[in-house]
Amino acid sequence: MFPENLFPPLPPAVRKDMADLGPALDAVLPLKARHRADLPGNIRLLSSLLTEDRDDLGRDYMGDPRTLSAYLRYFLPWNLYRLGRLFTGLSLDLSEGATLVDYGSGPLTVPLALWLSRPELRSRRLNVVCVDRTPKPMRSGLDLLRKLAGGEPPWKITLVKGALGMHLRERADLLVLANTLNELAWTRRPDLDEDAARLAATLQKGLAPGGRALLVEPGTREAGRALSALRGACLELGLHPQAPCPHLRRCPMPGREPAPWCHFNFDTTGAPEWLVRLTAKADLTKRNLSLSFLLLTQGFEPEPNRVRGVSEAFDLPLGFRGQYACSAQGLTLLRFPTGERGLPPGRGITATFPDQPERDRKSGAVILPLPGVRS
């Protein structure tokens, strides 16, 4: 199935549960007044380390109590909101007895996001295997999940101290790596092909028949480049992208300068007020969020003539606006009249291209005229 809209607004019930996350954090991880006063500064420091000074970030940085507190109070909730929007759009479903394996689980970010955003999964007996180098964040995340569930959830949750690629007895119906690739040194090297091929083989080996692999990363050029290389390696093994890609051809957004890379921006509508206030206290802004991702499954065949909007709209000459998109034609430039808008980033449509389409002189993209949608 081709997801039509990757980032729909959170349903009202999910927004309420996200709002309740703040009190749940206070109950499970209470802060003394002094530590609460230090929290905005610790959040700013960790934000700088995660984005600008990553070389100064320790390998197991979440073992530090101050860092862990900042992560759990700020970065975890924003990651849950970000993943919640994606999980809502992907309509991730797991049948009774299915196995989820979450590598680089941290404070159980992926299981928590599924619990919050997919209420229909809460009553199913799932096997959830969480793997991380540092056990303490996983234990904190498990305490938080129990609080949200009002006791022991029906999920069988196993915490494993380890790293990506370790041998597990379980094979996954859904194997997830969220914010994990950016921690791997090879993703910053000039040549990614060999390491991407090794990771593709690891993913394939870890999947049960019919299983899916989901990788979610920050929407940076570096992450887009790594995911594009991994996509190519997975295609060679028969692991096909189900989303966001609308085709199985070569990736037209491989992340090399100066071309665009595959990532999606979306607004923060419905984010909890307590989290918005904390963000302001830390002198940070979150007007929109960004991510890159791949959902892979064995032998998936996309529907023909699909187009996925990727970038936000921008001005073009001669009274037009444009937006980069992806299609089997390669890099695609949607063109529509000024005063109208294109597709929300992540929206997919079926389109018919002209027999002899124009090409954009700047990017080389195939131009697809689009009537647009009134703002």
Side-chain angles (χ1 to χ4, degrees):
M1 179 179 176
F2 183 86
E4 293 290 346
N5 185 13
L6 293 176
F7 307 104
L10 293 178
V14 176
R15 292 172 64 168
K16 181 185 180 303
D17 289 341
M18 285 290 297
D20 292 342
L21 181 65
L25 280 164
D26 287 337
V28 172
L29 303 160
L31 283 178
K32 295 180 180 179
R34 179 171 60 84
H35 294 153
R36 190 175 292 276
D38 293 340
L39 184 60
N42 290 337
I43 290 171
R44 283 195 303 274
L45 176 60
L46 183 54
S47 177
S48 176
L49 289 172
L50 288 170
T51 55
E52 299 171 7
D53 304 312
R54 201 166 185 92
D55 290 342
D56 296 331
L57 194 65
R59 178 177 172 84
D60 295 315
Y61 59 91
M62 282 204 287
D64 183 303
R66 293 173 302 173
T67 303
L68 179 60
S69 178
Y71 192 92
L72 293 174
R73 298 282 178 157
Y74 177 81
F75 295 93
L76 172 63
W78 276 121
N79 279 334
L80 293 178
Y81 175 87
R82 188 171 65 121
L83 289 175
R85 291 283 296 268
L86 177 63
F87 289 176
T88 300
L90 289 178
S91 297
L92 291 175
D93 192 28
L94 291 167
S95 59
E96 187 82 13
T99 295
L100 163 69
V101 175
D102 179 26
Y103 279 107
S105 189
L108 272 61
T109 306
V110 168
L112 283 165
L114 278 173
W115 183 271
L116 289 166
S117 63
R118 309 300 309 181
E120 71 277 12
L121 298 180
R122 296 176 190 175
S123 60
R124 297 182 191 172
R125 296 188 179 276
L126 305 180
N127 300 309
V128 180
V129 182
C130 304
V131 183
D132 201 277
R133 294 189 304 259
T134 311
K136 186 175 180 180
M138 290 195 290
R139 292 195 294 267
S140 297
L142 183 54
D143 289 342
L144 182 57
L145 181 57
R146 286 169 174 158
K147 181 65 178 179
L148 294 173
E152 286 293 335
W155 301 353
K156 178 187 176 184
I157 299 175
T158 304
L159 307 183
V160 179
K161 182 180 179 180
L164 176 62
M166 71 175 296
H167 174 73
L168 294 175
R169 180 181 58 197
E170 301 86 353
R171 298 183 72 188
D173 297 289
L174 179 63
L175 190 159
V176 184
L177 281 69
N179 297 326
T180 300
L181 286 188
N182 66 81
E183 305 251 353
L184 304 178
W186 68 263
T187 60
R188 296 182 283 280
R189 295 172 188 158
D191 185 3
L192 305 179
D193 291 347
E194 186 174 332
D195 292 288
R198 277 197 290 266
L199 179 54
T202 298
L203 295 178
Q204 185 183 54
K205 184 179 178 181
L207 291 177
R212 294 172 292 173
L214 175 64
L215 299 96
V216 188
E217 292 294 319
T220 63
R221 181 181 291 276
E222 189 174 83
R225 179 170 161 265
L227 287 174
S228 178
L230 179 62
R231 177 187 183 275
C234 286
L235 277 171
E236 294 186 9
L237 297 178
L239 269 179
H240 293 174
Q242 185 176 351
C245 315
H247 61 87
L248 302 182
R249 297 185 181 181
R250 186 175 181 178
C251 176
M253 299 183 181
R256 291 190 293 269
E257 295 276 8
W261 72 100
C262 185
H263 69 292
F264 302 91
N265 295 322
F266 51 95
D267 61 38
T268 57
T269 301
E273 283 298 320
W274 63 266
L275 182 56
V276 173
R277 290 194 299 270
L278 179 59
T279 302
K281 286 182 181 178
D283 293 328
L284 299 172
T285 57
K286 287 285 185 185
R287 295 188 183 90
N288 59 61
L289 299 173
S290 178
L291 62 77
S292 297
F293 81 97
L294 269 178
L295 178 63
L296 302 151
T297 190
Q298 198 75 35
F300 176 76
E301 294 293 335
E303 300 170 21
N305 303 319
R306 301 297 293 181
V307 179
R308 174 86 70 195
V310 177
S311 79
E312 297 181 84
F314 49 85
D315 290 331
L316 292 174
L318 304 176
F320 287 100
R321 284 174 63 75
Q323 173 187 23
Y324 286 121
C326 184
S327 75
Q329 300 276 344
L331 183 63
T332 300
L333 178 64
L334 306 180
R335 187 175 66 188
F336 42 91
T338 297
E340 299 185 356
R341 59 183 177 88
L343 304 178
R347 173 79 72 176
I349 60 170
T350 299
T352 302
F353 285 80
D355 291 335
Q356 295 183 323
E358 300 177 61
R359 286 197 174 270
D360 178 50
R361 291 182 180 180
K362 178 180 178 181
S363 64
V366 173
I367 296 175
L368 175 63
L370 191 71
V373 180
R374 291 282 177 189
S375 300

